[in-house]
Amino acid sequence: MKRIKIVEALQQKETGVKVLVKGWVRTRRGNKNVNFIALNDGSTINNIQIVVDLANFDEETLKLITTGACIAAAGTLVASQGQGQNVEIQAENIEVYGTADPETYPLQKKGHTLEFLREIAHLRPRTNTFGAIYRMRHNMAMAIHDFFHKKGFVYVHTPIITASDCEGAGQMFQVTTMNLYDLKKDENGSIDYSHDFFGKQASLTVSGQLEGELAAMALGEIYTFGPTFRAENSNTPRHLSEFWMIEPEMAFYEIEENMDLAEEFIKYCIRWALENCQDDLKFLSDMYDKELIDRLNFVLDNDFKRLTYTEGIKILQAAIAKGHKFEFPVDWGTDLQSEHERYLVEQHFKRPVILTDYPKDIKSFYMKQNADEKTVRAMDVLFPKIGEIIGGSQREEDYDKLKKRAEEMHVPLKDIWWYLDTRRFGTAPHSGFGLGFERLLLFVTGMANIRDVIPFPRTPNNAEF
Ligand code: ATP
Ligand code: MN
């Protein structure tokens, strides 16, 4: 008999047919006549109930069917007598693939804390919560590719190993094959990287943007979607050392079109979640965050509020004048903290916000400079409960201005000669942004900690699994 997935079995209208399902036992309960096994195979958050008439099965087999065990169950699909499911399987044959000793299998009871589950990240996909999160993560990746593909964007793979340290000064992971016990140094005591694998210092990328721009200057509209690495020591619920980023880059887009795209893109992903992840969303909302689905709908139904950084600062300062307390000060020229971003979104405008035109000194060298000579055409999209979810900008397309700004900000020109070349040969106005994939997942799943929306989180002092 051909195995069918539990998601299909549960949707089957025709009863009386023979089916074979395979999966992991969530629970087994019952009395001395009949047992009920709740079986899950990851195809849906819903379990199928296997009804076991004890008269037909030997006790030795049944003893092996404990929480966590893997079994194959064949039988007849029948209308369910009990609550909570339409159909169940009247078991005729059960094969045990793998047992799970109740003494040592860690996932016995329901209601383990998320902290505990992080310590058993190798087993947590077997919980309802992480099954839902893995499926939603997959769905968001599909939504992203679908969105850009339909718009004619080309998916570009940018390198993971890079030798340019122009963005991530001080927060990059080095890549080396040098013997750390026997480092070659030059006469000044500096490490001599000419002996290293690439003949120069190399690191893991913090962003695919610069290479993405090269492709946009030929293909028009592109996006990247890949892992990025940041060695910043920020132990927050919103930062990972290894995370995934989506970075579209578009020739001929000015900042307004960049904002339009960002808003349309994020709404597309949220709509996808509402349409394709209903069971998982309902579970997560019941378990963790009763307002989750309302919040998703709310973002869909409202335009994002657009204003400048300078206007944002005025609002924050007015709030302070009225007695609102922030942990960090608010001064024009300093970067906003997440508490400030969330105040604007959650308390003041009560909807997502796009802040533009940030002071040039807190933003990267490649952002297009405004005529005021103080600000750049940056745009950050700020979300409820999260703060910054997207960071982007119109790019400086003028060769001389870009080069001057790179020098002022001590970006080594010798490392980015290729990037500057795009402004020497057929330069064009262009824009782009970066969406943190796990920040999007925080929003759509309602989870509070970014460590719970990636299968195997990497954070300072933590690279298990
Ligand atoms: P933040 O201020 O929140 O640390 P950033 O301004 O340093 O973020 P960008 O360089 O603008 O981040 O990166 C683009 C996007 O990538 C951010 O808007 C965010 O969604 C995501 N992101 C940045 N750093 C991290 C991280 N350490 N872990 C997870 N996502 C991140
Ligand atoms: Mn940013």
Side-chain angles (χ1 to χ4, degrees):
M1 205 185 321
K2 191 166 168 285
R3 168 211 169 209
I4 62 169
K5 292 197 187 192
I6 289 173
V7 68
E8 298 165 51
L10 289 172
Q11 281 163 6
Q12 193 133 328
K13 295 276 178 298
E14 189 192 348
T15 51
V17 294
K18 301 269 186 230
V19 292
L20 168 65
V21 294
K22 302 182 178 185
W24 292 267
V25 174
R26 284 293 161 79
T27 55
R28 176 165 69 90
R29 57 187 181 81
N31 52 41
K32 56 184 176 345
N33 300 319
V34 60
N35 272 194
F36 302 97
I37 301 167
L39 198 68
N40 190 283
D41 67 358
S43 61
T44 161
I45 193 147
N46 301 307
N47 304 327
I48 197 158
Q49 176 157 287
I50 318 281
V51 184
V52 184
D53 198 340
L54 296 194
N56 302 335
F57 288 87
D58 70 275
E59 210 174 309
E60 287 309 300
T61 311
L62 285 172
K63 262 203 255 163
L64 304 176
I65 303 175
T66 55
T67 297
C70 184
I71 65 168
T76 310
L77 196 70
V78 296
S80 177
Q81 310 295 312
Q83 294 266 308
Q85 66 270 324
N86 295 325
V87 292
E88 60 194 21
I89 295 172
Q90 191 72 49
E92 281 151 28
N93 189 41
I94 294 182
E95 182 182 346
V96 178
Y97 285 136
T99 57
D101 181 359
E103 296 294 314
T104 49
Y105 183 61
L107 287 172
Q108 288 304 331
K109 58 176 172 57
K110 287 186 180 162
H112 292 298
T113 64
L114 293 168
E115 288 77 14
F116 171 72
L117 293 175
R118 268 173 232 148
E119 291 167 17
I120 51 163
H122 60 308
L123 296 173
R124 69 178 183 171
R126 299 194 194 183
T127 61
N128 285 332
T129 298
F130 285 90
I133 289 166
Y134 272 58
R135 281 186 295 271
M136 289 197 67
R137 197 176 156 102
H138 161 76
N139 263 280
M140 287 302 93
M142 297 308 289
I144 288 161
H145 285 303
D146 192 67
F147 176 82
F148 286 119
H149 178 68
K150 281 192 182 133
K151 282 192 174 293
F153 282 56
V154 173
Y155 177 26
V156 174
H157 299 98
T158 49
I160 290 170
I161 298 173
T162 167
S164 63
D165 177 13
C166 41
E167 271 218 273
Q171 54 170 41
M172 299 181 92
F173 290 100
Q174 282 198 45
V175 174
T176 181
T177 52
M178 288 189 297
N179 179 355
L180 297 183
Y181 294 101
D182 182 24
L183 283 178
K184 304 266 177 307
K185 302 219 175 125
D186 66 15
E187 57 275 15
N188 306 319
S190 301
I191 294 167
D192 181 1
Y193 285 99
S194 65
H195 296 282
D196 203 353
F197 190 89
F198 296 105
K200 54 173 151 176
Q201 191 174 5
S203 312
L204 295 177
T205 186
V206 295
S207 155
Q209 178 198 322
L210 299 190
E211 289 90 351
E213 283 187 48
L214 311 181
M217 289 299 104
L219 294 151
E221 295 170 342
I222 67 95
Y223 70 107
T224 73
F225 187 171
T228 51
F229 306 86
R230 296 193 186 178
E232 54 192 343
N233 202 354
S234 38
N235 239 320
T236 80
R238 293 177 317 280
H239 289 90
L240 292 163
S241 312
E242 175 181 291
F243 64 100
W244 289 65
M245 190 144 59
I246 298 95
E247 296 179 277
E249 193 68 39
M250 298 76 65
F252 318 123
Y253 275 48
E254 310 258 335
I255 187 136
E256 290 77 17
E257 295 156 294
N258 201 21
M259 288 191 272
D260 292 343
L261 184 79
E263 182 166 342
E264 185 189 346
F265 171 49
I266 248 185
K267 286 180 170 172
Y268 189 87
C269 294
I270 292 172
R271 192 172 299 111
W272 183 292
L274 285 165
E275 287 171 2
N276 297 284
C277 310
Q278 285 166 354
D279 290 351
D280 290 327
L281 270 179
K282 181 169 182 319
F283 172 83
L284 292 170
S285 122
D286 289 347
M287 284 290 290
Y288 296 101
D289 182 352
K290 299 276 180 291
E291 281 145 35
L292 172 61
I293 294 172
D294 284 348
R295 197 160 53 242
L296 299 184
N297 277 309
F298 180 79
V299 168
L300 283 189
D301 294 342
N302 285 280
D303 290 340
F304 296 3
K305 176 70 191 174
R306 300 177 184 188
L307 70 158
T308 64
Y309 166 92
T310 304
E311 291 165 328
I313 291 287
K314 286 195 187 125
I315 292 169
L316 293 167
Q317 288 176 336
I320 293 171
K322 283 205 211 121
H324 190 91
K325 296 265 181 293
F326 291 112
E327 189 183 339
F328 294 92
V330 176
D331 295 307
W332 197 97
T334 56
D335 214 351
L336 295 183
Q337 300 292 326
S338 157
E339 57 170 344
H340 306 133
E341 297 171 341
R342 291 184 58 179
Y343 177 87
L344 292 173
V345 171
E346 293 165 25
Q347 318 237 14
H348 192 83
F349 292 109
K350 299 194 165 53
R351 54 176 146 149
V353 166
I354 310 184
L355 270 194
T356 61
D357 303 288
Y358 281 72
K360 64 178 183 183
D361 291 331
I362 59 171
K363 290 291 183 189
S364 301
F365 75 99
Y366 50 69
M367 295 194 182
K368 186 173 172 69
Q369 297 155 50
N370 278 320
D372 65 9
E373 298 196 341
K374 289 201 263 296
T375 59
V376 288
R377 307 215 83 189
M379 50 160 252
D380 280 9
V381 180
L382 314 179
F383 254 47
K385 292 191 73 176
I386 290 169
E388 180 183 335
I389 191 165
I390 283 180
S393 67
Q394 185 166 343
R395 318 306 189 190
E396 182 56 73
E397 80 260 27
D398 181 276
Y399 177 79
D400 294 317
K401 286 187 187 161
L402 180 65
K403 182 161 167 274
K404 180 158 169 281
R405 193 67 191 134
E407 279 165 345
E408 282 169 9
M409 297 185 79
H410 309 293
V411 176
L413 295 183
K414 66 170 183 13
D415 287 347
I416 54 157
W417 61 271
W418 44 272
Y419 181 72
L420 293 170
D421 262 8
T422 53
R423 276 64 168 176
R424 288 174 62 207
F425 307 121
T427 193
H430 64 291
S431 299
F433 60 80
L435 167 74
F437 188 47
E438 288 76 16
R439 300 253 175 113
L440 172 69
L441 278 158
L442 278 177
F443 188 71
V444 295
T445 61
M447 301 305 285
N449 193 315
I450 200 161
R451 293 166 181 78
D452 297 329
V453 295
I454 187 164
F456 301 101
R458 270 82 182 93
T459 50
N461 291 315
N462 170 37
E464 194 67 38
F465 309 107

